[in-house]
Amino acid sequence: MSTQGVRGIKVWYLEITEEEEFIPSEVVTNLSLEPTDDAAINTQFYREVGGDWQWVDRLNWTDNQWEKWVSRENLRTWVAHLGAEAAGYVEMEIQEGGNIEIVYFGLLPLMIGKGIGGGVLSLAIREAWKIKGTQRVWLHTCSEDHPHALGNYEKRGFRLFKTEVI
């Protein structure tokens, strides 16, 4: 979710601070996450997934900027697959103090409505808690995101810790 240049939108910040708070969704057997460190894949998914949700802050990035972002040691990216088809992606940033931010998460437009969002998010949260030293998994969403985004996060155990209008 990006909010650059947009005003009057509501932003919700959510967190899970104990792995036991995580409430996984049912994950269909042919749903999986595959790690990647390919900047072209991050670029493609950022544009395709975020196209309908006002993700604009990276639209003008050069290939060099994407490469620099993706090659950071504290960034993890996974591509979600439904069977052999790409379904979406998740970007996580490992931050100080055991914080893992889900920076970007979403499904490709053709995968929305197939009932897999909760499963993809559940797989992503499991990956976050596998990272050594994780103390907290957090993210933010906004009123410009998919109408079910906030509910999906809350169903997975995320709790609201901050709200703002920008």
Side-chain angles (χ1 to χ4, degrees):
M1 188 260 346
S2 169
T3 58
Q4 182 177 345
V6 180
R7 296 284 177 240
I9 63 172
K10 194 168 189 177
V11 181
W12 298 280
Y13 297 82
L14 301 108
E15 67 185 352
I16 296 177
T17 56
E18 300 287 335
E19 188 172 3
E20 296 76 29
E21 296 170 353
F22 167 48
I23 304 165
S25 174
E26 187 173 323
V27 178
V28 295
T29 56
N30 60 341
L31 191 62
S32 63
L33 290 183
E34 179 182 328
T36 184
D37 59 1
D38 184 339
I41 289 175
N42 282 66
T43 305
Q44 173 191 351
F45 276 90
Y46 174 85
R47 291 175 186 276
E48 290 182 24
V49 170
D52 291 335
W53 313 114
Q54 306 303 317
W55 293 7
V56 297
D57 58 330
R58 298 183 190 173
L59 288 179
N60 295 322
W61 277 18
T62 65
D63 289 346
N64 188 46
Q65 287 172 297
W66 276 105
E67 190 61 47
K68 186 176 178 181
W69 173 257
V70 171
S71 66
R72 296 176 312 132
E73 194 170 300
N74 64 331
L75 187 80
R76 302 288 184 277
T77 304
W78 290 268
V79 175
H81 292 274
L82 181 60
E85 280 189 81
Y89 92 127
V90 61
E91 263 187 22
M92 287 185 215
E93 186 175 57
I94 302 167
Q95 301 169 338
E96 291 185 20
N99 291 299
I100 307 295
E101 180 183 2
I102 298 177
V103 181
Y104 283 98
F105 165 80
L107 301 177
L108 291 167
L110 291 175
M111 292 293 168
I112 294 172
K114 294 184 181 279
I116 62 170
V120 174
L121 181 59
S122 293
L123 293 174
I125 295 167
R126 284 188 181 121
E127 291 297 333
W129 284 105
K130 287 180 188 177
I131 297 169
K132 185 177 179 170
T134 299
Q135 300 293 312
R136 172 182 177 243
V137 180
W138 75 280
L139 53 80
H140 64 275
T141 189
C142 76
S143 54
E144 296 290 315
D145 280 341
H146 189 281
H148 298 299
L150 181 60
N152 189 19
Y153 299 137
E154 290 174 331
K155 286 177 186 174
R156 304 291 73 80
F158 282 92
R159 291 181 327 273
L160 186 68
F161 71 89
K162 178 181 166 183
T163 302
E164 65 183 356
V165 176
I166 58 171

